[in-house]
Amino acid sequence: MTKQEIINETIDFVKERMADDSSGHDWWHVYRVWNMAKKLNKKEGGDLFIIEMSALLHDVADWKFNEDEERGIQLINNWLEQFELSESNILRILNIIRNVSFKGAGVKDKMISIEGMIVQDADRLDAIGAIGIARTFAFGGNFGSPMHNPEVKAQNHSSFEEYKNAKGTTINHFYEKLLFLKDRMNTNAAKEMAAKRHNYMENFLKQFYDEWDSIK
Ligand code: ADP
Ligand code: NI
């Protein structure tokens, strides 16, 4: 099987698994991340096959959609093992998927390969700006979080356990994750795009509070 055929099979697999999601992690999120990663690859380099496969599979193992992350990783491993890929390429892809996720404002990222940095940047770009705002409210509704409660303060999560178990508001998610992302981009190409999207979120929040306070 050619690399392109493996990619095509993987697209069908991911589409089928993520089609019905309403938490902002649907196929079109994967599609945007995959294509943004290809675009970043043109400027920043890296092995395109590893980038495409990791981007396509990056949310299949997410802790939010599996009983535990290891099961998700196992599933991806089984998927990859049916193709004639070298053990080292499988490990490269699995390593990226394990480390792609944001795990709390106070928890350091551990991505070391350029391929991983690109996929992480592409995923994070999709979490900010207008699309990021839309996804965040979609996620909040799906998850059952209140939109905003001025009596609930944002938290600075210093461990993944804390971040994972937090039951905050959707507006607080901006202060717990989204507004940190521009400074946690790995590549210069992503940093540039992130600055614009960050600005847009700041304006959104300002308008949100202006309207909230306009009843006073
Ligand atoms: P990552 O790929 O870094 O693990 P997540 O899958 O945790 O990112 O989050 C992807 C997007 O889902 C976030 O950028 C946000 O839009 C939404 N999201 C995740 N957790 C929350 C939350 N607690 N409240 C609102 N939105 C959330
Ligand atoms: Ni994602």
Side-chain angles (χ1 to χ4, degrees):
M1 218 186 252
T2 65
K3 284 186 171 170
Q4 193 54 53
E5 282 165 343
I6 297 176
I7 288 171
N8 292 344
E9 292 258 327
T10 303
I11 291 171
D12 290 343
F13 169 69
V14 174
K15 259 189 191 163
E16 200 177 304
R17 282 191 61 92
M18 310 194 106
D20 296 328
D21 176 89
S22 57
S23 77
H25 294 79
D26 55 310
W27 159 250
W28 292 107
H29 161 64
V30 175
Y31 178 87
R32 292 189 300 271
V33 171
W34 167 45
N35 282 283
M36 180 62 80
K38 287 203 274 187
K39 185 170 156 173
L40 293 175
N41 162 258
K42 288 206 179 99
K43 292 188 180 162
E44 305 282 346
D47 177 328
L48 184 58
F49 178 70
I50 298 290
I51 291 173
E52 289 195 67
M53 289 298 282
S54 310
L56 286 168
L57 292 164
H58 85 274
D59 268 341
V60 169
D62 197 296
W63 51 270
K64 290 188 272 352
F65 311 107
N66 288 282
E67 283 157 45
D68 66 280
E69 197 185 1
E70 265 328 295
R71 263 194 49 191
I73 295 285
Q74 194 55 48
L75 185 95
I76 298 175
N77 189 37
N78 293 347
W79 175 256
L80 295 173
E81 275 186 342
Q82 67 176 307
F83 306 114
E84 283 151 25
L85 297 177
S86 66
E87 192 59 30
S88 93
N89 273 348
I90 293 184
L91 284 178
R92 283 166 83 190
I93 296 168
L94 291 180
N95 248 325
I96 292 172
I97 293 169
R98 264 183 217 284
N99 291 313
V100 75
S101 231
F102 183 87
K103 295 196 162 69
V107 186
K108 271 211 171 92
D109 291 317
K110 293 194 293 196
M111 202 62 98
I112 40 176
S113 65
I114 181 64
E115 291 81 9
M117 289 180 185
I118 283 175
V119 173
Q120 188 170 56
D121 282 357
D123 194 28
R124 290 182 171 177
L125 283 169
D126 209 57
I128 60 176
I131 289 177
I133 294 170
R135 289 182 67 220
T136 302
F137 286 98
F139 185 101
N142 187 276
F143 195 62
S145 312
M147 178 181 82
H148 178 48
N149 179 346
E151 290 166 0
V152 179
K153 296 288 164 248
Q155 307 288 315
N156 188 318
H157 302 119
S158 56
S159 77
F160 180 43
E161 275 310 300
E162 229 180 88
Y163 175 71
K164 188 165 65 169
N165 297 324
K167 280 245 164 268
T169 69
T170 301
I171 285 288
N172 280 350
H173 193 65
F174 286 83
Y175 302 95
E176 291 165 351
K177 172 179 179 184
L178 307 182
L179 294 171
F180 292 107
L181 293 180
K182 92 170 158 51
D183 293 327
R184 292 186 54 169
M185 294 292 163
N186 303 294
T187 66
N188 285 334
K191 279 180 193 157
E192 240 171 72
M193 273 185 271
K196 260 172 103 173
R197 294 182 187 205
H198 181 90
N199 220 3
Y200 188 85
M201 287 196 298
E202 295 267 27
N203 289 336
F204 165 77
L205 289 167
K206 187 178 174 306
Q207 174 81 13
F208 186 95
Y209 296 125
D210 281 352
E211 292 175 15
W212 193 278
D213 291 337
S214 67
I215 49 172
K216 285 181 191 157

